[in-house]
Short mmCIF file of all heavy atoms in Angstrom, two decimals:
data_model
loop_
_atom_site.label_atom_id
_atom_site.label_comp_id
_atom_site.label_asym_id
_atom_site.label_seq_id
_atom_site.Cartn_x
_atom_site.Cartn_y
_atom_site.Cartn_z
N HIS U 710 -1.37 -7.17 28.10
CA HIS U 710 -2.51 -6.59 27.41
C HIS U 710 -2.05 -6.28 25.98
O HIS U 710 -0.91 -6.16 25.64
CB HIS U 710 -2.98 -5.28 28.07
CG HIS U 710 -1.91 -4.18 28.08
ND1 HIS U 710 -0.94 -4.11 29.08
CD2 HIS U 710 -1.65 -3.19 27.23
CE1 HIS U 710 -0.13 -3.08 28.81
NE2 HIS U 710 -0.58 -2.48 27.68
N VAL U 711 -3.06 -6.20 25.10
CA VAL U 711 -2.87 -5.79 23.71
C VAL U 711 -3.85 -4.67 23.38
O VAL U 711 -5.06 -4.87 23.59
CB VAL U 711 -3.08 -6.98 22.69
CG1 VAL U 711 -2.86 -6.54 21.29
CG2 VAL U 711 -2.13 -8.13 23.05
N THR U 712 -3.36 -3.53 22.98
CA THR U 712 -4.19 -2.34 22.74
C THR U 712 -4.03 -1.88 21.33
O THR U 712 -2.93 -1.69 20.84
CB THR U 712 -3.79 -1.22 23.74
OG1 THR U 712 -3.86 -1.72 25.07
CG2 THR U 712 -4.73 -0.04 23.56
N GLY U 713 -5.16 -1.67 20.64
CA GLY U 713 -5.14 -1.18 19.27
C GLY U 713 -6.36 -1.58 18.55
O GLY U 713 -7.37 -2.02 19.13
N PRO U 714 -6.35 -1.49 17.21
CA PRO U 714 -7.50 -1.85 16.34
C PRO U 714 -7.64 -3.35 16.26
O PRO U 714 -7.38 -3.95 15.19
CB PRO U 714 -7.21 -1.15 15.05
CG PRO U 714 -5.72 -1.09 14.96
CD PRO U 714 -5.26 -0.91 16.37
N ILE U 715 -8.02 -4.01 17.32
CA ILE U 715 -8.13 -5.48 17.36
C ILE U 715 -9.43 -5.87 17.95
O ILE U 715 -10.18 -5.10 18.58
CB ILE U 715 -7.00 -6.11 18.20
CG1 ILE U 715 -7.07 -5.59 19.62
CG2 ILE U 715 -5.63 -5.77 17.59
CD1 ILE U 715 -6.19 -6.29 20.61
N THR U 716 -9.80 -7.15 17.75
CA THR U 716 -11.00 -7.75 18.36
C THR U 716 -10.59 -9.15 18.80
O THR U 716 -9.60 -9.72 18.34
CB THR U 716 -12.17 -7.87 17.39
OG1 THR U 716 -11.74 -8.63 16.20
CG2 THR U 716 -12.64 -6.51 16.93
N PRO U 717 -11.33 -9.73 19.79
CA PRO U 717 -10.99 -11.11 20.22
C PRO U 717 -11.01 -12.08 19.09
O PRO U 717 -11.75 -11.92 18.10
CB PRO U 717 -12.07 -11.38 21.27
CG PRO U 717 -12.50 -10.04 21.74
CD PRO U 717 -12.42 -9.13 20.53
N LEU U 718 -10.20 -13.11 19.20
CA LEU U 718 -10.08 -14.11 18.15
C LEU U 718 -11.35 -14.95 18.07
O LEU U 718 -11.91 -15.43 19.08
CB LEU U 718 -8.88 -14.99 18.39
CG LEU U 718 -8.66 -16.19 17.45
CD1 LEU U 718 -8.37 -15.68 16.05
CD2 LEU U 718 -7.60 -17.12 17.96
N ASN U 719 -11.83 -15.10 16.85
CA ASN U 719 -12.96 -16.01 16.61
C ASN U 719 -12.45 -17.41 16.33
O ASN U 719 -11.85 -17.63 15.24
CB ASN U 719 -13.80 -15.48 15.41
CG ASN U 719 -15.03 -16.34 15.18
OD1 ASN U 719 -15.34 -17.30 15.89
ND2 ASN U 719 -15.83 -15.94 14.15
N ARG U 720 -12.57 -18.28 17.25
CA ARG U 720 -11.95 -19.60 17.09
C ARG U 720 -12.54 -20.40 15.92
O ARG U 720 -11.91 -21.37 15.46
CB ARG U 720 -12.19 -20.41 18.40
CG ARG U 720 -11.51 -19.78 19.60
CD ARG U 720 -10.02 -20.09 19.66
NE ARG U 720 -9.34 -19.27 20.65
CZ ARG U 720 -8.05 -19.46 20.97
NH1 ARG U 720 -7.38 -20.41 20.39
NH2 ARG U 720 -7.46 -18.66 21.82
N ALA U 721 -13.68 -19.96 15.39
CA ALA U 721 -14.25 -20.65 14.26
C ALA U 721 -13.40 -20.44 12.98
O ALA U 721 -13.54 -21.16 12.00
CB ALA U 721 -15.68 -20.19 14.03
N ASN U 722 -12.53 -19.45 12.96
CA ASN U 722 -11.71 -19.17 11.83
C ASN U 722 -10.41 -19.95 11.76
O ASN U 722 -9.65 -19.81 10.83
CB ASN U 722 -11.35 -17.65 11.75
CG ASN U 722 -12.55 -16.82 11.47
OD1 ASN U 722 -13.52 -17.27 10.90
ND2 ASN U 722 -12.49 -15.54 11.91
N LEU U 723 -10.14 -20.78 12.80
CA LEU U 723 -8.93 -21.55 12.84
C LEU U 723 -8.85 -22.53 11.66
O LEU U 723 -9.82 -23.23 11.37
CB LEU U 723 -8.82 -22.34 14.14
CG LEU U 723 -8.75 -21.49 15.44
CD1 LEU U 723 -8.59 -22.35 16.63
CD2 LEU U 723 -7.58 -20.48 15.34
N GLY U 724 -7.72 -22.57 10.99
CA GLY U 724 -7.56 -23.42 9.86
C GLY U 724 -8.19 -22.96 8.56
O GLY U 724 -8.21 -23.66 7.57
N SER U 725 -8.70 -21.72 8.56
CA SER U 725 -9.34 -21.19 7.37
C SER U 725 -8.88 -19.79 7.12
O SER U 725 -8.31 -19.13 8.01
CB SER U 725 -10.88 -21.21 7.51
OG SER U 725 -11.31 -20.39 8.56
N ASN U 726 -9.17 -19.28 5.93
CA ASN U 726 -8.81 -17.87 5.58
C ASN U 726 -7.34 -17.62 5.85
O ASN U 726 -6.47 -18.45 5.56
CB ASN U 726 -9.74 -16.92 6.32
CG ASN U 726 -11.18 -17.11 5.90
OD1 ASN U 726 -11.46 -17.63 4.81
ND2 ASN U 726 -12.07 -16.66 6.75
N SER U 727 -7.00 -16.47 6.43
CA SER U 727 -5.60 -16.11 6.62
C SER U 727 -4.97 -16.92 7.71
O SER U 727 -3.75 -16.88 7.82
CB SER U 727 -5.52 -14.59 6.94
OG SER U 727 -6.25 -14.32 8.14
N MET U 728 -5.74 -17.68 8.48
CA MET U 728 -5.18 -18.50 9.56
C MET U 728 -5.11 -19.97 9.09
O MET U 728 -5.03 -20.87 9.95
CB MET U 728 -6.04 -18.36 10.83
CG MET U 728 -6.15 -17.00 11.38
SD MET U 728 -6.88 -16.94 13.01
CE MET U 728 -5.67 -17.75 13.99
N GLN U 729 -5.08 -20.24 7.82
CA GLN U 729 -5.08 -21.59 7.35
C GLN U 729 -3.79 -22.32 7.76
O GLN U 729 -3.81 -23.54 7.91
CB GLN U 729 -5.28 -21.61 5.86
CG GLN U 729 -4.20 -20.84 5.07
CD GLN U 729 -4.53 -20.87 3.58
OE1 GLN U 729 -5.21 -21.72 3.11
NE2 GLN U 729 -3.97 -19.87 2.84
N GLN U 730 -2.68 -21.61 7.94
CA GLN U 730 -1.45 -22.22 8.34
C GLN U 730 -1.11 -21.96 9.82
O GLN U 730 -0.12 -22.43 10.31
CB GLN U 730 -0.28 -21.69 7.46
CG GLN U 730 -0.41 -22.01 5.99
CD GLN U 730 -0.34 -23.47 5.71
OE1 GLN U 730 0.25 -24.25 6.44
NE2 GLN U 730 -1.03 -23.92 4.63
N HIS U 731 -1.99 -21.22 10.48
CA HIS U 731 -1.76 -20.92 11.88
C HIS U 731 -2.89 -21.57 12.68
O HIS U 731 -3.83 -20.92 13.12
CB HIS U 731 -1.76 -19.38 12.11
CG HIS U 731 -1.30 -18.98 13.43
ND1 HIS U 731 0.00 -19.16 13.85
CD2 HIS U 731 -1.93 -18.40 14.46
CE1 HIS U 731 0.16 -18.73 15.09
NE2 HIS U 731 -0.99 -18.23 15.49
N THR U 732 -2.72 -22.85 12.91
CA THR U 732 -3.81 -23.63 13.53
C THR U 732 -3.59 -23.84 15.05
O THR U 732 -4.45 -24.49 15.66
CB THR U 732 -3.92 -25.02 12.84
OG1 THR U 732 -2.60 -25.65 12.92
CG2 THR U 732 -4.28 -24.85 11.39
N LYS U 733 -2.52 -23.31 15.58
CA LYS U 733 -2.25 -23.46 17.05
C LYS U 733 -2.02 -22.09 17.64
O LYS U 733 -0.90 -21.78 18.11
CB LYS U 733 -1.05 -24.37 17.29
CG LYS U 733 -1.28 -25.85 16.90
CD LYS U 733 -0.08 -26.70 17.23
CE LYS U 733 -0.37 -28.16 16.84
NZ LYS U 733 0.83 -29.01 17.17
N PRO U 734 -3.04 -21.29 17.72
CA PRO U 734 -2.82 -19.92 18.28
C PRO U 734 -2.66 -20.00 19.79
O PRO U 734 -3.17 -20.88 20.46
CB PRO U 734 -4.11 -19.19 17.87
CG PRO U 734 -5.14 -20.27 17.79
CD PRO U 734 -4.42 -21.48 17.24
N THR U 735 -1.98 -19.03 20.31
CA THR U 735 -1.84 -18.88 21.78
C THR U 735 -3.03 -18.12 22.37
O THR U 735 -3.92 -17.69 21.64
CB THR U 735 -0.55 -18.18 22.08
OG1 THR U 735 -0.64 -16.82 21.69
CG2 THR U 735 0.64 -18.79 21.41
N MET U 736 -3.00 -17.90 23.66
CA MET U 736 -4.04 -17.13 24.29
C MET U 736 -3.92 -15.67 23.94
O MET U 736 -4.80 -14.86 24.26
CB MET U 736 -4.00 -17.29 25.82
CG MET U 736 -4.23 -18.74 26.27
SD MET U 736 -5.86 -19.33 25.73
CE MET U 736 -6.94 -18.24 26.64
#
Side-chain angles (χ1 to χ4, degrees):
H710 63 274
V711 181
T712 305
I715 61 170
T716 57
L718 176 65
N719 184 2
R720 297 282 167 172
N722 292 335
L723 297 182
S725 62
N726 297 339
S727 59
M728 300 191 67
Q729 57 183 340
Q730 298 296 331
H731 190 66
T732 57
K733 293 183 179 180
T735 68
M736 297 302 296

